[in-house]
Amino acid sequence: GNANVNAINAGDMLMALGEAPLPIAIDPQTLETRGEWPWRDDILLDADGNPRPQHTTPHPHFDRATGDLINNVDIFARECRYEIHRGPRDGKRTRFAVVPVERPAYMHSFGMSEHYVLLAEYPLVADVQAIAVRKRPFIENYEWLPERGTIFTVVSKADGSVVARAQGEPFFGIHQINCFERDSALLFDVPTYPEGRHISNLYLDRRAAAEALENSQVKRYTVPLNGSDVTSEVLFDEFAELPTIDYAREAGLDYGTAYAAGGRKDRPEGFYNQLLRFDLRGHQVRRWFEDGCFPGEPVFLSRPNGADHLEGVIVSVVLDGQRGRSFLLVLDARSFEEVGRAFAPHVIPFGFHGEFKS
């Protein structure tokens, strides 16, 4: 499944950049490349065969009920819109929802429950007309307009209809944690930022200057399916990013545990300097950190035939600034205690998401 996700993501991103799609299929056992893995459809092409969408979320969801991958793309045109696509394993996608929008919001990820797709349209919105003439980096054509609030759009996975469209407080999010249904509402958990400048804070000149990263809070937004106002609550007052869960067991369902990289409040630095484990039911936080160490994204690896979502380990590539090299850290998912570490003979540069290398 991961190989297919990576192939789809690569293809959609190349489409967004206006280039021909060249997704690569990767053997899930050996990680060897199998060559190009093109979509066998023309859903992302216009009438002249040119790539059409200008942006896509790089985090598609897997629908365990159908085996499909679901993703959202943005169409910048005279009449802008979001399109939600469903891609089965035979390589052909279908467009099952179209949502007209005046100014597309920057969405790096989206929520998906058992029966719905949730688009959180943060008030960082595109200046569509400026994109073609400004000749600036893509993200610099977005404007922060907090007076718009955050619009939550709920789309039925069954027929593509818009079930609800409601407004909440203005905030910015990058990586959603999970989304699930409860009491005629969707619950959407996400690390939130009060403004839309977190992306620009990751520019290399600011990281080179070791400016402290902007803090976040882990919040839960309750989106009623009847279109009533969205409410929010703080789950954890922690700077967290790059969250993950036991996706195979708990994605789209009421879940128990989440993991993230983050920042220590007693030692704010220019990159993530601790790993976090959030107990959603006990409302407890466990941490791993060492002075001078900077972990990357935590990745959950389940134990084969494990009894529950805590049967497994967390792995993260950590830069050891004191020793001048990196290591792979392995933590027990249940206790969050260290199982072991394997040092690389050199420094592995900072990264965000896990990568396949061969």
Side-chain angles (χ1 to χ4, degrees), residues 210-213 215 239 263-271 273:
E211 296 180 13
L213 289 170
N215 285 333
F239 171 31
R264 296 167 56 183
K265 290 189 175 182
D266 64 334
R267 183 169 293 186
E269 297 186 82
F271 211 72
N273 58 9

Side-chain angles (χ1 to χ4, degrees), residues 251-263:
L253 305 175
D254 194 347
Y255 66 118
T257 308
Y259 309 91

Side-chain angles (χ1 to χ4, degrees), residues 92-216:
K92 294 183 180 180
R93 291 162 295 184
T94 58
R95 180 190 303 108
F96 75 89
V98 176
V99 181
V101 61
E102 180 182 355
R103 298 186 67 176
Y106 180 81
M107 288 184 285
H108 190 82
S109 63
F110 62 98
M112 191 177 83
S113 66
E114 287 188 90
H115 303 101
Y116 303 99
V117 167
L118 177 63
L119 304 179
E121 302 175 61
Y122 312 114
L124 185 65
V125 295
D127 185 344
V128 176
Q129 295 181 342
I131 290 177
V133 297
R134 280 185 180 171
K135 296 182 179 180
R136 294 181 181 176
F138 183 76
I139 193 61
E140 293 186 4
N141 294 287
Y142 283 77
E143 298 177 289
W144 179 248
L145 302 176
E147 65 274 12
R148 297 168 61 98
T150 299
I151 306 299
F152 293 85
T153 301
V154 181
V155 177
S156 168
K157 287 162 61 176
D159 59 13
S161 62
V162 174
V163 176
R165 194 171 175 88
Q167 186 178 38
E169 64 188 14
F171 72 97
F172 181 64
I174 302 177
H175 298 103
Q176 65 94 36
I177 302 174
N178 200 12
C179 178
F180 60 95
E181 301 159 27
R182 179 192 291 171
D183 300 332
S184 300
L186 290 187
L187 276 59
F188 179 71
D189 295 350
V190 60
T192 67
Y193 302 89
E195 299 179 2
R197 57 188 176 88
H198 186 70
I199 295 177
S200 61
N201 282 344
L202 296 175
Y203 281 10
L204 290 179
D205 58 345
R206 298 183 184 178
R207 293 306 94 227
E211 296 180 13
L213 289 170
E214 180 186 20
N215 285 333
S216 63

